[in-house]
Each structure stands twice: as C-alpha cells, then as structure tokens.
C-alpha cells in the first residue's frame, strides 16, 4: 500500500475511530485503491459504505414472582453515502410496550400498554479535516412527544492520530399523561459533549468524553404515587473508553467507564468490559459484563414495609419527593453474550442475549435503599445487516 | 461481592491512569500501521442499533444517562 493510499486509509480509520461511524478493512482497502487509481492525495475524510440494518428486540423485566414490563421493538436503519462529501442516515423504531409497572417502590403494580414510534434523520458533511453532522429526531407515544435537534462536529489532527469532537443537542418534549394528573406539561433538555479520541499504538484506541446536560420542566412520573420531582435537572458525565487489539489471538478488549453526577444528588459509576473473539468461519463471540453503582436522589423516599400495603407518606415539609425505585441506591450487574456471523462480503447476522439484575444489597459505598425487591431484566436482540 | 466490586473499581482507576500516562507518549502511529484499527470491533460504535436499544433500556431503568453521544430526544419511559 503506497504512502498516499495509506494516508487515505488512515483518514478513513481516524474518522471511523471517532464517535459515530462504523468501518472495516474492505472499505479501507477500497479507499486506498481509489487513491492509487486516481493518483491524488485525498486529505478529506471520506464517506463509508452504505448500510441497511434491521434489529429486533425482545425484552422482559420482572421482580420475584411477578413479570413486569415486556417490550417488543423493531428498528431499521439506512446509511447512504450520496457523494464524496455527503452521507445520509435514517432510523425508524417501533416499540410495543405492555405489562405492569409499580406505582411506588416495588408495589402497586398497574397494567400499562403503549406504542412508541421514533424516527431519526441525520446528514453528514465530510470536510478536509473533519466532519459535521446535523440530526433531527421525533419520538411519539400516546402521552409523550419528543422533538430534538443535534449538531456534532469532529476535527482530525494533521497525522490523523487525534480527533476532537463537539456535540450539542436540544430536545423539546410535550407530556399529556392518560390519567390526566397533569395537562400540557413540557420539558426542555439541552446536552453538550466534548470528546477527545487518540490512537495510542497500532493496537490501542482511547477516548475521553465530558458531557453536560441542562433540563427544565416536568420530570415527575405521573403514573406513580407520591412523585413530585424538581423542575430542573443539571448533570455532568465523564466517560473514558479504551479498545485494545491482541494480534496473537486477533481478539479485542473493549473497556469503558462513566461517572455521572447531577443536582438531584444522584451519583453513579458504570464500568463495562467486553471481549470480542473472532472464530473460524467468519463467526465471532463477544461476552460482556457491566456494573452500575448508583446513589439515590436526595428526595427519594425509602420504602417502609411496616405500613404495607400503603405507600409511606413523604415528610410533611418535603416539597419534592419520589418513591420510584429507579432513583434509589443500588448496584446492577449485566451479563451478556453476542454471537455474530458474516454470511458473505455484504451480509451479516447477530444475536445478543443480556441478563440484568438490580439489587439494593449490591450498592457500593454505603447502604442500599431498603425494602425493595430485586429487579431483573432479560433482553434478546436479533440483527441483520447489509453493506453496499 | 463488595471486595470484588472494590477490585473492579480500583482496576478501572488504574486503566484511566495508565491511559492518561500513555497519552503523554510522543510516539506517533504511522498511517501504514493502522490496519488493525480498521476492524469494526475497534470502533466505539460499530453496531449503532444495538447501542440505541441498550442505551434506551438503561435510560428507562436507571437514574444515570448519557456520556458518549448527544441527540435522540427523550421518552416517557423514565
């Protein structure tokens, strides 16, 4: 591979090593071939291959002796490069939700049924030393409509070993619960993200992201009793990810860590480790483990089983309060396994199974929130994709 | 369990510190050395639909969110 084509390949690799796009060796070689054919050094980032993908999710969660929420979701995505400078991407997702959800803590299970339809559309402009991506999103449910816009930019260094990225997004949500507890409520959320991605060695890619979110409006859950949350929420995230390739075994270790903190008093640490092992016959297997440790929101009200079956009353002086177990102190462990197979040069299929368990007794750094049932979730994803 | 979690958290801190130290290294990777980085598993978002499903699920079951991307809007699930 000549220097010029290698430089182009490096640009493609660097772009794909940034936050958003997939890449593979075939695309790299195609880019190199184009440079050899046309004899020009294309310092510009290049669109990747086109891709169409389908994913089906079967999800169910539960607590001991009781099944809770079940979701069957289908998502279709298309990525279409239209020229050397532009690429479009679109996603359509439909979630069918049913089952039961607790009214407070782990009790008072009430039936729910909903259908959610979500669409995302983005346009990417490829520049001399980076990319700019603009996106719009729409999510519609019977009681919740969310409209969002986003802008993400990535800038590459001269040697293509470093990528700086900036992303901003704003969502405007309309909330009209079917129980009419509130009417015509709204929520506005603005997110910003600064990212730095670096090629450390021929086998190591590392990324640091610093994020900030500002939200105002209606954050309460209208289907839960004693749930009145603050009308503002500001949060900060710090995330680092590191991918390391082992040449001897052709395997890859993917590690990630996120720290989260907000003005509700929630603090969380999330660590993920995944191992990707290629197998003969274009198969690959990827076990993963994730641990999430979360401290409760300041206004979370602990369960008090002595008053069962009635929920505990918030303190008389409390202005904000919630008995939603998702705001409690707990530790949660995910074990997953993904199996993928390349059928030929263009088609691939995959299946992924994950089991999730959330327990207050697993909280690290103090005592977990008392009186809550363990919470479990099982998800299975089936995927099919084609590149062109 | 508590000991295992403490070990995991310590290991992650060491990963962060080691990575930061490595970032300070002046050695630059050349373009012709980047073949392995082109592998899909070496990118941070090789299966976008998988990532969207997973992030949406955790958003609906936990209080923490975000970290790697912006955009996509909200839902009534949290």
């Amino acid at each position: 591979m000549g220097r010029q084509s290698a430089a182009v390949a490096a640009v493609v690799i660097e772009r794909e090593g940034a936050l958003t796009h997939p890449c593979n060796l075939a695309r790299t070689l195609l880019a190199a071939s184009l440079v050899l054919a046309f004899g020009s050094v294309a310092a510009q980032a290049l669109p990747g291959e086109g891709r169409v993908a389908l994913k089906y999710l079967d999800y169910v969660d539960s607590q001991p002796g009781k099944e809770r929420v079940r979701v069957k979701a289908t998502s279709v995505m298309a990525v279409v490069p239209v020229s050397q400078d532009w690429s479009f991407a679109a996603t359509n997702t439909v979630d069918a939700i049913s089952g039961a959800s607790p009214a407070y803590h782990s009790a008072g299970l009430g039936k729910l049924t909903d259908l959610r339809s979500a669409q995302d559309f983005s346009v990417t402009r490829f520049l001399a030393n980076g990319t700019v991506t603009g996106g719009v999103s729409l999510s519609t449910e019977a009681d919740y409509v969310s409209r969002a816009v986003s802008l993400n930019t990535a800038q590459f260094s001269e040697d293509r070993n470093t990528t700086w990225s900036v992303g901003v997004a704003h969502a405007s949500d309309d909330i009209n619960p079917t129980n009419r507890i509130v009417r015509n409520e709204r929520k506005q959320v603005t997110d910003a993200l600064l990212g730095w991605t670096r090629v450390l060695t021929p086998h190591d890619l590392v990324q640091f992201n610093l994020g900030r979110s500002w939200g105002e409006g209606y954050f309460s859950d209208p289907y839960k009793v004693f749930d009145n949350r603050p009308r503002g929420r500001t949060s900060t995230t710090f995330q680092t990810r590191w991918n390391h390739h082992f040449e001897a075994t052709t395997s890859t270790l993917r590690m990630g860590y996120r720290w989260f903190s907000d003005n509700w008093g929630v603090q969380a640490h999330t660590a993920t480790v995944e191992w990707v092992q290629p197998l003969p016959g274009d198969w690959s297997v990827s076990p993963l483990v994730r641990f999430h440790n979360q401290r409760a929101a300041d206004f979370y009200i602990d369960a008090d089983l002595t008053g069962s079956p009635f929920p505990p009353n918030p303190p008389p002086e409390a202005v904000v309060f919630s008995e939603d177990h998702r705001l409690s102190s707990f530790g949660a462990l995910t074990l997953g396994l993904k199996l993928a197979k390349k059928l030929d040069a263009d088609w691939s299929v995959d299946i992924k199974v994950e089991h999730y368990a959330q327990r207050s007794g697993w909280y690290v750094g103090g005592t977990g929130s008392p009186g809550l049932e363990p919470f479990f979730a099982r998800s299975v994803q089936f995927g099919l994709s084609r590149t062109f | 369990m508590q000991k295992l979690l403490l070990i995991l958290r310590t290991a992650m801190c060491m990963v962060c510190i080691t990575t930061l130290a490595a970032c300070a290294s002046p050695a630059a990777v050349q373009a012709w050395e980047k073949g392995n980085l082109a592998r899909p598993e070496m990118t941070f978002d090789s299966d976008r639909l998988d990532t969207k499903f997973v992030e949406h699920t955790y958003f609906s079951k936990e209080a923490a969110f975000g970290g790697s991307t912006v955009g996509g809007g909200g839902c009534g699930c949290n």
Side-chain angles (χ1 to χ4, degrees), chain A residues 128-152:
Chain A
N129 285 308
T131 61
V132 179
T133 301
V136 294
S137 303
L138 174 66
S139 172
T140 308
E141 303 165 59
D143 55 359
Y144 201 104
V145 177
S146 178
R147 302 172 189 84
V149 294
S150 64
L151 184 67
N152 287 278

Side-chain angles (χ1 to χ4, degrees), chain A residues 55-59 71-75 93-96, chain B residues 53:
Chain A
K55 193 78 77 175
Y56 175 76
L57 168 71
D58 185 289
Y59 168 95
V71 178
K72 295 182 190 296
T74 304
S75 191
T93 303
V94 178
D95 298 341
Chain B
F53 273 150

Side-chain angles (χ1 to χ4, degrees), chain A residues 206-384:
Chain A
V206 68
Q207 184 180 86
F208 294 95
N209 293 320
L210 182 63
R212 186 84 168 156
S213 176
W214 301 265
E216 58 179 34
Y218 187 74
F219 285 91
S220 304
D221 188 326
Y223 303 106
K224 298 208 183 293
V225 300
F226 296 134
D227 200 286
N228 188 43
R229 305 180 193 186
R231 292 192 69 89
R233 188 178 192 185
T234 306
S235 65
T236 303
T237 56
F238 172 74
Q239 183 193 57
T240 179
R241 299 193 280 190
W242 176 28
N243 293 347
H244 177 79
H245 181 70
F246 296 90
E247 197 138 20
T249 54
T250 69
S251 52
T252 301
L253 176 64
R254 299 157 56 92
M255 304 176 72
Y257 168 76
R258 179 192 66 190
W259 173 83
F260 174 95
S261 178
D262 71 7
N263 64 337
W264 286 6
V266 176
Q267 266 203 15
H269 304 270
T270 309
T272 307
V273 180
E274 183 181 9
W275 181 271
V276 181
Q277 181 62 61
L279 299 172
D282 288 326
W283 289 90
S284 71
V285 62
S286 307
L288 74 89
V289 61
R290 172 189 186 270
F291 185 74
H292 175 80
N293 192 64
Q294 171 179 301
R295 187 182 73 189
D298 295 333
F299 53 87
Y300 172 76
I301 307 294
D302 281 336
D304 180 4
L305 299 180
T306 60
S308 180
F310 302 106
N313 288 314
E317 70 280 7
V319 176
V320 290
F321 41 83
S322 175
E323 298 182 6
D324 188 339
H325 74 88
R326 296 172 296 183
L327 293 173
S328 66
S329 293
F330 61 81
L333 183 68
T334 302
L335 299 176
L337 188 71
K338 185 171 185 176
L339 194 62
K341 162 78 173 164
K342 274 190 74 67
L343 301 176
D344 57 29
D346 299 322
W347 290 91
S348 62
V349 294
D350 58 81
I351 178 169
K352 181 180 182 183
V353 180
E354 289 182 305
H355 184 79
Y356 174 91
Q358 185 185 105
R359 294 177 184 267
S360 54
W362 288 351
Y363 174 66
V364 177
T367 306
S369 298
L372 296 173
E373 295 276 9
F375 172 75
F376 307 105
R378 186 269 297 147
S379 69
V380 183
Q381 292 188 42
F382 300 95
L384 176 68

Side-chain angles (χ1 to χ4, degrees), chain A residues 166-179:
Chain A
V166 178
V168 292
H170 181 79
S172 177
D173 301 348
D174 296 328
I175 304 153
N176 278 289
T178 55
N179 60 8

